[in-house]
Amino acid sequence: MICAPLMSQSVDQIVNDMYQAKAQGADVVEIRLDCINNFQPHQDLEIILRNKPLPVLIVYRPKWEGGQYDGDEHMRLEALHLAKELGADYIDLEFKVASNLMEEHKQNQRGCSKVIVSCFLDSVTPSKEELSHLVARMQSTGADIIKLVTNATNITELARIFHLLSHCQVPLIAYSIGERGLISQILNPKFGGVLVYGSIKGNSVPGLPTIDSLRHAYEFEHINEDTKVFGLVSKPVSHSKGPILHNPTFRHVGYNGIYVPMFVDDLKEFFSVYSSPDFAGFSIGIPYKEAVIGFCDEVHPLAQSIGAVNTIIRRPSDRKLVGYNTDCEAAITAIEDALKVFGFTNGEAFPSPLTARVIVFDIDFGRAKSLAHAVSGEAQPFEDLVKFQPEKGAILANATPLGMHPNTDRIPVAEVTLGDYELVFDSVYTPRETRLLKEAKAAGAIIVSGVQMFLRQAIGQFNLFTGREAPEEFMRDIVLAKF
Ligand SMILES: O=C1C[C@@](O)(C(=O)O)C[C@@H](O)[C@@H]1O
């Protein structure tokens, strides 16, 4: 189930939000009474519960547990009792007070709300043993459902939450908030969680995905214990459009897979913790494409010669991590295809753009030299790029993240020279048309967006991930419609 937390300050707005949550695909709404201005328990609860279009979970969070209520504790608990009497489907009791209150709750026969005993740990996720002790203590309160939330500082902590979810005997809501915690929410149904939180549009709650992304980008309802997990290992990772391309494509071909963003701080720790066959493959993004080679058991010769891996699969026969590079062909064919469209082939076999004279600029001159050496080109100092005058008809390729969201006003070369390029290619794909491409188009150059490369590298990845032929037209249509 997806639960929408509603934190509006007025009761009218809450009623409105409940309907929106339903329309967007929530199964339950959580009403945060502590966020309501001048809250009048009887009157406000009656309006909310009389108008509920979905099951309602009532939370009245005190300041000592991260909420906004700092009034009298007795009145707070009274309001929760009242919510029960007035027909709340669930009420949330903080673990710190739950043991004293559960007896009272059980004896109070009015209303039939289920009780969620909750605990928020604003710290590193505890060890497996500590977590299971904590859950056992929470369970002993007599809770119907247990809720445990942590604030992960590293994606590897989430494995402990997955372990807890798959071994717990009582209904459990468990996840971690924040960018590093995101996959604990998305993958919840795979490991047996009963409920995750998703915010309604325009009302985003820090650290939570939106209902829309759970329903549409991740197609949450299709995830089950057999779902194979694929992820983009990167830092940062939230800009990636991989999920909105790979997930619908998995569904389209009937493959039980899910593709998620993985905010990774430490490759070594990551690969040692997520070593089960459930984690079947990875895209590798900035800044790890070179370093990740050291964690592959085998590397395809092309990727080896490039010195960069952007795709890893865990080979099912022996679980070995095998690294590939789908970026290289994607970049070259994106440029070649654009040149063909503009009639540069004359019906003859078209030579690769890389057969031309290659000049390499890099802020690290040593790296520029070694790349230039590998492609029989020449390196020039980065400082000279601003005054670099290309030959007429040259191709410019930006292979750096410069101009990528959020620093979209950056441009790597002097604008006055852009008119001298026949074609300008940008490997950046967020935004679709970078400032470099806009200026190049205005100067009359053919432009090739990083989206073209992104699509082609993703097609290559899909083939490797699934062992099936990627539905290229389908993927192209998604890119056209959604990017
Ligand atoms: O460079 C890219 C883009 C990417 O990092 C992403 O943003 O989804 C995914 C990588 O596989 C690919 O090589």
Side-chain angles (χ1 to χ4, degrees), residues 232 234 237 239-243 259 283-286 289 310-311 326-327 427 429 453-454 457 461:
L232 168 60
S234 195
V237 74
H239 66 280
S240 173
K241 304 236 191 242
Y259 185 94
S283 300
I284 309 297
I286 294 169
K289 293 185 186 195
N310 81 321
T311 311
T326 68
D327 279 336
S427 64
Y429 75 94
M453 173 180 172
F454 181 79
Q457 66 79 33
Q461 288 189 334

Side-chain angles (χ1 to χ4, degrees), residues 186-256:
I186 302 170
L187 300 180
N188 222 272
K190 175 173 171 67
F191 297 102
V194 294
L195 182 140
V196 296
Y197 288 78
S199 59
I200 58 174
K201 269 186 211 142
N203 228 340
S204 68
V205 178
L208 289 186
T210 59
I211 303 173
D212 189 59
S213 72
L214 288 171
R215 289 269 179 234
H216 300 117
Y218 299 108
E219 308 202 14
F220 192 74
E221 56 277 18
H222 294 284
I223 305 173
N224 56 39
E225 62 178 318
D226 297 326
T227 304
K228 292 278 177 215
V229 180
F230 298 88
L232 168 60
V233 171
S234 195
K235 180 181 173 177
V237 74
S238 60
H239 66 280
S240 173
K241 304 236 191 242
I244 60 173
L245 180 57
H246 283 294
N247 288 319
T249 313
F250 284 147
R251 262 0 118 236
H252 181 74
V253 303
Y255 184 85
N256 189 3

Side-chain angles (χ1 to χ4, degrees), residues 41 95 113 147 176 183-184 289 318 339 364 369 394 397 412 447:
F95 177 46
S113 324
K147 174 178 172 186
S176 204
I183 67 164
S184 69
K289 293 185 186 195
D318 56 8
L339 287 171
D364 179 339
K369 280 199 284 197
I447 59 164

Side-chain angles (χ1 to χ4, degrees), residues 319-342:
R319 298 190 181 188
K320 290 210 160 134
L321 294 177
V322 188
Y324 299 86
N325 188 305
T326 68
D327 279 336
C328 173
E329 193 185 333
I332 294 174
T333 56
I335 296 173
E336 285 175 348
D337 290 351
L339 287 171
K340 279 184 207 147
V341 169
F342 283 88

